[in-house]
Structure formats: C-alpha cells, structure tokens
Amino acid sequence: MGNRGPQPTTGQTPIFNLRLPQDLRAQLEEHATPGRPLSKEIIARLSASVTEEREIEKRFGNRQNYRITQILVLAIERAAAKFPDRETWLEDEEVFDFVLDTFVRTLNAMRPGEPKSYSGSSHHSEATNLARGIWQSIYEAGETRPLDRYRRINADLGPLASRPNVYRAEFERRRSAREEKLCSESNLLTWPSDDADEATWKQWGEGRALAMRRAAKEVGAEMIAEGKNPRIDEEDTF
C-alpha cells in the first residue's frame, strides 16, 4: 500500500494511493460493472465488504459459520448435479438421500478428532468422492485469485480448512499402482504354487512386504514434493 496522496480541500474526497497487483487488477476489471471506472469498482467492493461483515455476524454469528454454510451449499449443488434429469432434490427421495449423504460426509471430514462412521445412501462411495473434491477445491485455492469463492472460504476458515485429508485417496491409488509395478518387476504378482516349500512362501511374503513399504515411501515422498501431503500417519477423514 502506498503513501497517502495530497490532502484534499474541504468537500473533496480524500486521495489514497494504492499499489494494486496486476493479477488482482485483472480480476477486478473482469468482474467490474460495465461502464464503471476501476476506482469506483474498488470503492463499491470495499463498501460492500464492510456491509457484508456486519450482515454475516448478524445472520450467521461469525464468518466461519458463514463459510461452512457456503460449503454445504456446494455439497448440495454438486450432489444434485449428479441427477440432472430428475426432479429437485427436495422432491425426489433418492436424490435427497444422496444430497444428504454428501452433505454429512462433507461436514464430517472436518470433525474435531476422528470422523464418525456413517452408513449413508447406496451411493456412499460417490458421495465420499464429492465431499473430498469440495475440500480439495478449498484447500488448493491459491492466493492468485483472491476473488475466487474457494479462496475466500479457505481464508476465513483458517486452520479448519486443513482438517480434511484431501490427498489420502490419491495416495492409496498411486501406492497400489506402484506396488503392483514393483511386484511385476520382481515376479511377485503370482502366488507360489500350493506345493511350494516354506522357504519359497517366506521369500515371496517378504518380497511383497518390501514392495509395499517401498511403494508407500516413494509415493509419499513424491506427493509431498508436489505439495500434496497424504498424511499417511493419520486416519483418512473421508
């Protein structure tokens, strides 16, 4: 933020110099009301932000409650979108159950302590994937687009946004594929024959265990280097 500009004469609006990052300027221009100068767009957004703060506290208690409400709206939107040719989720029993399942799994992922078990609907796996996808969108929201809805949710939730383990499922997929590759290279995919001796079975078992540990170590290190910590020492939150 720059220095204050020259002091205005009586009745004039004060001048305030502001260094605006180029990417933020581009976003403001992209979302600006047609025909409105950028300076007035900034003033309008700042004014709306101050008013919004008061309204949020009045309606939701605090900003975190407000953002969690937005997350649950995302859960409803993504779940209902899986049934585009059906009635509204409030009128269709199956769609309602799927929305409810996604809703609960999304909220349960940020539960303090261990997530509670939940049987859910017949589409529980898909609901889990949707819930994980919502939190991944929030977790990965970068600072380069401060007007993005996910970025604002991330910023207001603070440490709460890091509770869900959004990369654990990806880790398991990659680890399994890596383990299979290592076992294939070492001829460990096929079990020993029924008449194999004890030493053969022991050698095969130790080889499989070694491949499993190596796969987990390699994939874990790769994902951390990619900025995707799978937190393998913790329980999966989904």
mmCIF file of all heavy atoms in Angstrom, residues 51-68:
data_model
loop_
_atom_site.group_PDB
_atom_site.id
_atom_site.type_symbol
_atom_site.label_atom_id
_atom_site.label_comp_id
_atom_site.label_asym_id
_atom_site.label_seq_id
_atom_site.Cartn_x
_atom_site.Cartn_y
_atom_site.Cartn_z
ATOM 1 N N THR A 51 -20.172 -3.704 4.727
ATOM 2 C CA THR A 51 -21.581 -4.013 4.993
ATOM 3 C C THR A 51 -21.777 -5.511 5.172
ATOM 4 O O THR A 51 -22.515 -5.962 6.057
ATOM 5 C CB THR A 51 -22.460 -3.514 3.832
ATOM 6 O OG1 THR A 51 -22.270 -2.109 3.664
ATOM 7 C CG2 THR A 51 -23.926 -3.803 4.097
ATOM 8 N N GLU A 52 -21.106 -6.295 4.333
ATOM 9 C CA GLU A 52 -21.211 -7.757 4.406
ATOM 10 C C GLU A 52 -20.760 -8.271 5.760
ATOM 11 O O GLU A 52 -21.373 -9.184 6.323
ATOM 12 C CB GLU A 52 -20.368 -8.397 3.305
ATOM 13 C CG GLU A 52 -20.408 -9.917 3.309
ATOM 14 C CD GLU A 52 -19.403 -10.529 2.357
ATOM 15 O OE1 GLU A 52 -18.189 -10.267 2.545
ATOM 16 O OE2 GLU A 52 -19.806 -11.258 1.444
ATOM 17 N N GLU A 53 -19.696 -7.707 6.293
ATOM 18 C CA GLU A 53 -19.167 -8.146 7.584
ATOM 19 C C GLU A 53 -20.239 -8.029 8.671
ATOM 20 O O GLU A 53 -20.416 -8.938 9.493
ATOM 21 C CB GLU A 53 -17.942 -7.311 7.952
ATOM 22 C CG GLU A 53 -17.097 -7.888 9.052
ATOM 23 C CD GLU A 53 -16.311 -9.098 8.603
ATOM 24 O OE1 GLU A 53 -15.756 -9.093 7.493
ATOM 25 O OE2 GLU A 53 -16.283 -10.065 9.390
ATOM 26 N N ARG A 54 -20.940 -6.910 8.685
ATOM 27 C CA ARG A 54 -21.993 -6.713 9.684
ATOM 28 C C ARG A 54 -23.152 -7.680 9.467
ATOM 29 O O ARG A 54 -23.711 -8.227 10.419
ATOM 30 C CB ARG A 54 -22.485 -5.267 9.641
ATOM 31 C CG ARG A 54 -21.472 -4.245 10.128
ATOM 32 C CD ARG A 54 -22.133 -2.912 10.405
ATOM 33 N NE ARG A 54 -22.684 -2.321 9.198
ATOM 34 C CZ ARG A 54 -22.054 -1.421 8.455
ATOM 35 N NH1 ARG A 54 -20.838 -1.004 8.789
ATOM 36 N NH2 ARG A 54 -22.619 -0.916 7.370
ATOM 37 N N GLU A 55 -23.516 -7.904 8.198
ATOM 38 C CA GLU A 55 -24.630 -8.795 7.891
ATOM 39 C C GLU A 55 -24.295 -10.244 8.234
ATOM 40 O O GLU A 55 -25.147 -10.994 8.725
ATOM 41 C CB GLU A 55 -25.000 -8.685 6.400
ATOM 42 C CG GLU A 55 -25.722 -7.409 6.042
ATOM 43 C CD GLU A 55 -27.058 -7.300 6.766
ATOM 44 O OE1 GLU A 55 -27.816 -8.292 6.777
ATOM 45 O OE2 GLU A 55 -27.337 -6.230 7.354
ATOM 46 N N ILE A 56 -23.049 -10.637 7.984
ATOM 47 C CA ILE A 56 -22.629 -12.004 8.292
ATOM 48 C C ILE A 56 -22.723 -12.264 9.783
ATOM 49 O O ILE A 56 -23.239 -13.293 10.230
ATOM 50 C CB ILE A 56 -21.195 -12.246 7.789
ATOM 51 C CG1 ILE A 56 -21.198 -12.388 6.259
ATOM 52 C CG2 ILE A 56 -20.581 -13.481 8.434
ATOM 53 C CD1 ILE A 56 -19.828 -12.484 5.653
ATOM 54 N N GLU A 57 -22.215 -11.333 10.567
ATOM 55 C CA GLU A 57 -22.261 -11.503 12.020
ATOM 56 C C GLU A 57 -23.708 -11.544 12.517
ATOM 57 O O GLU A 57 -24.038 -12.319 13.424
ATOM 58 C CB GLU A 57 -21.506 -10.360 12.698
ATOM 59 C CG GLU A 57 -21.400 -10.526 14.198
ATOM 60 C CD GLU A 57 -20.499 -9.504 14.851
ATOM 61 O OE1 GLU A 57 -19.781 -8.789 14.117
ATOM 62 O OE2 GLU A 57 -20.524 -9.412 16.086
ATOM 63 N N LYS A 58 -24.551 -10.750 11.893
ATOM 64 C CA LYS A 58 -25.955 -10.696 12.307
ATOM 65 C C LYS A 58 -26.684 -11.991 11.964
ATOM 66 O O LYS A 58 -27.472 -12.502 12.774
ATOM 67 C CB LYS A 58 -26.632 -9.506 11.618
ATOM 68 C CG LYS A 58 -28.115 -9.365 11.925
ATOM 69 C CD LYS A 58 -28.683 -8.169 11.183
ATOM 70 C CE LYS A 58 -30.189 -8.039 11.406
ATOM 71 N NZ LYS A 58 -30.758 -6.884 10.662
ATOM 72 N N ARG A 59 -26.408 -12.544 10.774
ATOM 73 C CA ARG A 59 -27.163 -13.698 10.304
ATOM 74 C C ARG A 59 -26.544 -15.045 10.675
ATOM 75 O O ARG A 59 -27.266 -16.026 10.888
ATOM 76 C CB ARG A 59 -27.309 -13.628 8.787
ATOM 77 C CG ARG A 59 -28.097 -12.430 8.294
ATOM 78 C CD ARG A 59 -28.292 -12.488 6.795
ATOM 79 N NE ARG A 59 -29.009 -11.323 6.300
ATOM 80 C CZ ARG A 59 -29.423 -11.189 5.045
ATOM 81 N NH1 ARG A 59 -29.199 -12.152 4.168
ATOM 82 N NH2 ARG A 59 -30.068 -10.091 4.665
ATOM 83 N N PHE A 60 -25.204 -15.103 10.723
ATOM 84 C CA PHE A 60 -24.546 -16.386 10.925
ATOM 85 C C PHE A 60 -23.737 -16.484 12.221
ATOM 86 O O PHE A 60 -23.235 -17.552 12.546
ATOM 87 C CB PHE A 60 -23.617 -16.692 9.743
ATOM 88 C CG PHE A 60 -24.321 -16.771 8.427
ATOM 89 C CD1 PHE A 60 -24.440 -15.656 7.611
ATOM 90 C CD2 PHE A 60 -24.894 -17.958 8.001
ATOM 91 C CE1 PHE A 60 -25.095 -15.720 6.384
ATOM 92 C CE2 PHE A 60 -25.550 -18.035 6.786
ATOM 93 C CZ PHE A 60 -25.658 -16.919 5.975
ATOM 94 N N GLY A 61 -23.582 -15.394 12.933
ATOM 95 C CA GLY A 61 -22.823 -15.422 14.172
ATOM 96 C C GLY A 61 -21.376 -15.036 13.981
ATOM 97 O O GLY A 61 -20.833 -14.227 14.720
ATOM 98 N N ASN A 62 -20.722 -15.634 12.967
ATOM 99 C CA ASN A 62 -19.347 -15.270 12.636
ATOM 100 C C ASN A 62 -19.044 -15.712 11.211
ATOM 101 O O ASN A 62 -19.853 -16.408 10.574
ATOM 102 C CB ASN A 62 -18.345 -15.879 13.630
ATOM 103 C CG ASN A 62 -18.445 -17.392 13.702
ATOM 104 O OD1 ASN A 62 -18.392 -18.083 12.694
ATOM 105 N ND2 ASN A 62 -18.601 -17.919 14.912
ATOM 106 N N ARG A 63 -17.878 -15.327 10.721
ATOM 107 C CA ARG A 63 -17.522 -15.592 9.321
ATOM 108 C C ARG A 63 -17.285 -17.082 9.065
ATOM 109 O O ARG A 63 -17.577 -17.582 7.970
ATOM 110 C CB ARG A 63 -16.295 -14.770 8.936
ATOM 111 C CG ARG A 63 -15.916 -14.862 7.466
ATOM 112 C CD ARG A 63 -14.902 -13.813 7.086
ATOM 113 N NE ARG A 63 -15.526 -12.500 7.000
ATOM 114 C CZ ARG A 63 -16.142 -12.037 5.913
ATOM 115 N NH1 ARG A 63 -16.236 -12.791 4.830
ATOM 116 N NH2 ARG A 63 -16.671 -10.833 5.898
ATOM 117 N N GLN A 64 -16.765 -17.809 10.035
ATOM 118 C CA GLN A 64 -16.554 -19.244 9.825
ATOM 119 C C GLN A 64 -17.878 -19.975 9.622
ATOM 120 O O GLN A 64 -17.992 -20.833 8.746
ATOM 121 C CB GLN A 64 -15.782 -19.843 11.002
ATOM 122 C CG GLN A 64 -14.297 -19.511 10.993
ATOM 123 C CD GLN A 64 -13.534 -20.286 12.040
ATOM 124 O OE1 GLN A 64 -14.092 -20.711 13.045
ATOM 125 N NE2 GLN A 64 -12.236 -20.459 11.821
ATOM 126 N N ASN A 65 -18.873 -19.643 10.429
ATOM 127 C CA ASN A 65 -20.194 -20.254 10.237
ATOM 128 C C ASN A 65 -20.728 -19.961 8.837
ATOM 129 O O ASN A 65 -21.333 -20.822 8.190
ATOM 130 C CB ASN A 65 -21.182 -19.728 11.274
ATOM 131 C CG ASN A 65 -20.899 -20.240 12.670
ATOM 132 O OD1 ASN A 65 -20.128 -21.168 12.854
ATOM 133 N ND2 ASN A 65 -21.516 -19.616 13.662
ATOM 134 N N TYR A 66 -20.505 -18.737 8.393
ATOM 135 C CA TYR A 66 -20.961 -18.329 7.060
ATOM 136 C C TYR A 66 -20.287 -19.160 5.980
ATOM 137 O O TYR A 66 -20.933 -19.647 5.043
ATOM 138 C CB TYR A 66 -20.662 -16.839 6.882
ATOM 139 C CG TYR A 66 -20.819 -16.319 5.478
ATOM 140 C CD1 TYR A 66 -22.031 -16.425 4.801
ATOM 141 C CD2 TYR A 66 -19.758 -15.698 4.824
ATOM 142 C CE1 TYR A 66 -22.181 -15.928 3.516
ATOM 143 C CE2 TYR A 66 -19.895 -15.192 3.539
ATOM 144 C CZ TYR A 66 -21.108 -15.314 2.894
ATOM 145 O OH TYR A 66 -21.236 -14.826 1.614
ATOM 146 N N ARG A 67 -18.973 -19.349 6.076
ATOM 147 C CA ARG A 67 -18.240 -20.096 5.059
ATOM 148 C C ARG A 67 -18.624 -21.580 5.088
ATOM 149 O O ARG A 67 -18.701 -22.220 4.034
ATOM 150 C CB ARG A 67 -16.735 -19.936 5.260
ATOM 151 C CG ARG A 67 -16.225 -18.519 5.031
ATOM 152 C CD ARG A 67 -16.624 -17.974 3.675
ATOM 153 N NE ARG A 67 -16.061 -16.647 3.444
ATOM 154 C CZ ARG A 67 -16.385 -15.857 2.422
ATOM 155 N NH1 ARG A 67 -17.289 -16.260 1.534
ATOM 156 N NH2 ARG A 67 -15.823 -14.671 2.282
ATOM 157 N N ILE A 68 -18.865 -22.135 6.257
ATOM 158 C CA ILE A 68 -19.291 -23.527 6.342
ATOM 159 C C ILE A 68 -20.661 -23.694 5.690
ATOM 160 O O ILE A 68 -20.929 -24.701 5.017
ATOM 161 C CB ILE A 68 -19.309 -23.997 7.801
ATOM 162 C CG1 ILE A 68 -17.870 -24.100 8.320
ATOM 163 C CG2 ILE A 68 -20.009 -25.355 7.945
ATOM 164 C CD1 ILE A 68 -17.758 -24.338 9.796
#
